[in-house]
């Protein structure tokens, strides 16, 4: 390990975005440190390929165990690594679950983040240490504000999750102004990819569809298909998180494709790739509906396009195709073409 490499610390490295960001920063020759919460059931499958690297001599990848709610473990890891860049991606990231678990949602999404801000504020005073900080804000903060949404759109969250992200978003701004800290809020709209968690609608659809092909199930049970989302690609969006921290001044940016599609369109397109009619396989249940739903998201990312040179690399259809082909390969060991042929003959 050499001291010349730029060091980044990622809270939430085992998630979809954390693992994609780690891959990206390693490709840029960073020394990457990640914080993982120790638990009896490890949830590190997305960084398995990196964990085996860690054991090799001279590896630029390191894992520390810690918990963002445990101030002392967080303090220790920051003081040990003293990174130039810190990414706070830790979250209870499921909007639906936030209605059932509002307290832990605010703990992980807001209080954990405040722990980080307080540790860095203190180190800045005592040690003149000023890392750049990225906070994963969310388009869920816009709530009922009609689309298109940009950095100036009023934020009217409709879920405990949205409230938790908005509180942290505002904490970023308060610490930035009051203590001259370099903090960027990335207001990312929905983004998926092969590493998306199974509880989110996009992955649930492509995974369950692959299971239908393999004969493991015969239907998919979903909730509200009428809500509209602006869906991009996680591996693409993590690059712009890094880009934000390379600017001379900290700022907040909306990151989105600018396209919006009802969830029903996602389902229809996935089934259509296999020549199937989704209506033959999808059942609707109240169980997956939320007490209040954010109706429509469509991001206006012109500020990021202008200042950061951001341009989404994948379309809505590209994201669906990539996710379905990964799931088909993992679940049924088939390509999209083979699965289409199989379903035609059934
Ligand atoms: N999860 C889920 N499961 N959602 C369903 C289902 C289902 O079975 N059926 C329909 N939906 C609908 C939800 O009600 C919602 O309108 C939409 O599908 C998308 O749900 P999610 O995939 O859970 O994502 P989200 O939009 O609520 O939140 C995601 O995007 C935010 C950015 O706006 C998450 O990634 C958040 O962490 C992120 O901040």
């Amino acid at each position: 390990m050499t001291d010349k490499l730029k060091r980044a610390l990622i809270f939430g490295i085992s998630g979809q975005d954390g693992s994609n960001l780690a891959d990206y920063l390693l490709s840029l020759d960073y020394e990457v440190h990640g914080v993982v919460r120790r638990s009896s059931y490890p949830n590190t499958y997305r960084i398995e390929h990196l964990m085996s690297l860690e054991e090799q001599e001279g590896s630029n990848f390191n894992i520390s165990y810690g918990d963002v709610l445990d101030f002392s473990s967080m303090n220790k890891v920051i003081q040990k690594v003293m990174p130039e860049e810190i990414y706070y991606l830790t979250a209870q990231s499921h909007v639906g679950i936030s209605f059932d678990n509002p307290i832990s949602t605010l703990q992980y999404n807001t209080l954990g983040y405040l722990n980080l801000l307080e540790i860095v504020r203190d180190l800045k005073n005592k040690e003149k240490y000023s890392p750049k900080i990225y906070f994963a804000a969310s388009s869920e903060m816009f709530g009922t504000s009609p689309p298109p949404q940009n950095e100036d759109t009023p934020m009217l969250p409709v879920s405990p999750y949205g409230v938790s992200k908005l509180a942290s978003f505002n904490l970023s701004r308060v610490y930035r102004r009051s203590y001259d800290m370099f903090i960027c809020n990335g207001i990312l709209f929905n983004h998926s990819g092969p590493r998306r968690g199974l509880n989110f609608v996009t992955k649930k659809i492509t995974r369950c569809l692959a299971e239908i092909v393999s004969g493991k199930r015969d239907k998919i049970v979903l909730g509200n298909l009428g809500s509209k989302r602006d869906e991009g690609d996680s591996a693409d969006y993590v690059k712009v998180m890094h880009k934000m921290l390379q600017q001379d001044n900290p700022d907040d940016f909306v990151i989105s494709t600018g396209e919006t599609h009802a969830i029903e369109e996602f389902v229809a397109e996935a089934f259509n790739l296999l020549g199937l009619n989704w209506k033959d396989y999808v059942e609707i249940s109240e169980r997956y509906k939320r007490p209040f739903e954010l109706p429509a998201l469509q991001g206006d990312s012109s500020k990021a396009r202008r200042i950061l040179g951001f341009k989404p690399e994948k379309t809505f259809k590209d994201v669906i195709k990539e996710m379905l082909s990964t799931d088909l390969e993992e679940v049924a060991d088939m390509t999209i073409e083979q699965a289409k042929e199989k379903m035609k003959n059934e």
Side-chain angles (χ1 to χ4, degrees), residues 134 184 186 240-247 253 255 308:
Y134 173 87
C184 294
V240 78
M241 295 178 180
H242 170 256
K243 196 74 188 270
M244 284 180 212
L245 298 197
Q246 311 316 306
Q247 305 306 299
F253 293 95
I255 305 299
L308 305 175

Side-chain angles (χ1 to χ4, degrees), residues 16 92-96 137-141 161 165 188-191 196 199-202 204 221-225 227-229 231 263 288-290 293-294 297:
Q16 168 185 249
Q92 189 302 94
S93 59
H94 197 282
V95 175
S138 161
S139 53
E140 182 71 21
M141 300 188 303
Y161 172 85
K165 287 287 183 179
L188 270 54
F189 280 60
N190 293 51
H191 46 285
R196 188 63 155 148
N199 259 348
F200 296 97
V201 77
T202 51
K204 184 172 168 184
V221 185
L222 296 170
N224 176 14
L225 302 187
S227 55
K228 292 178 145 189
R229 293 291 183 269
E231 193 75 56
I263 303 303
Y288 295 109
K289 293 192 178 166
R290 297 168 183 177
E293 179 74 89
L294 188 160
L297 287 171

Side-chain angles (χ1 to χ4, degrees), residues 50-65:
L50 299 178
M51 297 192 54
S52 52
L53 267 187
E54 192 192 6
E55 284 147 24
Q56 292 169 20
E57 178 98 13
S59 159
N60 295 334
F61 181 74
N62 304 271
I63 283 293
S64 298
Y65 290 94

Side-chain angles (χ1 to χ4, degrees), residues 181-241:
M181 287 166 59
F182 191 110
I183 307 172
C184 294
N185 286 307
I187 309 172
L188 270 54
F189 280 60
N190 293 51
H191 46 285
S192 292
R195 295 183 184 174
R196 188 63 155 148
L198 283 170
N199 259 348
F200 296 97
V201 77
T202 51
K203 183 71 173 178
K204 184 172 168 184
I205 293 164
T206 57
R207 190 67 168 200
C208 290
L209 177 49
E211 289 178 1
I212 289 173
V213 171
S214 74
K216 287 199 184 101
R217 65 167 65 236
D218 52 19
K219 62 176 185 200
I220 310 181
V221 185
L222 296 170
N224 176 14
L225 302 187
S227 55
K228 292 178 145 189
R229 293 291 183 269
D230 178 331
E231 193 75 56
D233 173 46
S234 165
D236 183 11
Y237 284 10
V238 296
K239 296 179 188 165
V240 78
M241 295 178 180

